[in-house]
Amino acid sequence: MRKRGGPEVFRITGARQGLADDVRGRQRRYVISMSVRTLSVIAAAVLWNVERHVAVVALALGVLLPYVAVVIANAGRESAPALPSTFLPSPVRPALGEGGAESGAERPSGQG
């Protein structure tokens, strides 16, 4: 049994992602977007004389993607408001001295 005033109980489901996991995820997203940028610049160079419209779109993607990748990678650790509360309040039980046989209010006759 837990004593009154014992340690607080926290839910694991509401815990934020660890800092190392968060940084690793942002680095992974940045590397993926830079890989897509590299492939789009290569595609623009290869397709320039073959399919100019596709090459222009690939070149525009290669120019705009670094900005988007940096903004996404530098996004801070915001708290998600949709998550449940991380604190579970302890259940409220009546104290032993509040009425009933435990309080000593109903003592048999002859005892003290």
Side-chain angles (χ1 to χ4, degrees):
M1 281 197 165
R2 219 178 91 192
K3 296 180 182 178
R4 289 181 77 183
E8 299 178 65
V9 179
F10 292 92
R11 291 185 197 180
I12 287 182
T13 57
R16 287 177 34 173
Q17 186 180 22
L19 181 60
D21 292 336
D22 181 56
V23 170
R24 189 177 313 120
R26 288 190 280 149
Q27 286 175 342
R28 185 180 310 131
R29 286 190 298 270
Y30 182 77
V31 167
I32 289 171
S33 58
M34 286 296 101
S35 299
V36 170
R37 178 205 184 220
T38 302
L39 292 175
S40 67
V41 170
I42 291 171
V46 169
L47 295 174
W48 190 257
N49 289 328
V50 179
E51 194 67 40
R52 185 142 319 181
H53 294 89
V54 176
V56 169
V57 171
L59 189 60
L61 182 65
V63 168
L64 296 176
L65 199 54
Y67 172 75
V68 174
V70 167
V71 168
I72 290 172
N74 287 335
R77 291 176 47 131
E78 290 90 19
S79 60
L83 290 176
S85 172
T86 57
F87 176 70
L88 282 175
S90 58
V92 178
R93 291 189 230 159
L96 291 177
E98 294 180 5
E102 293 118 5
S103 67
E106 299 176 11
R107 290 187 183 165
S109 61
Q111 292 183 1

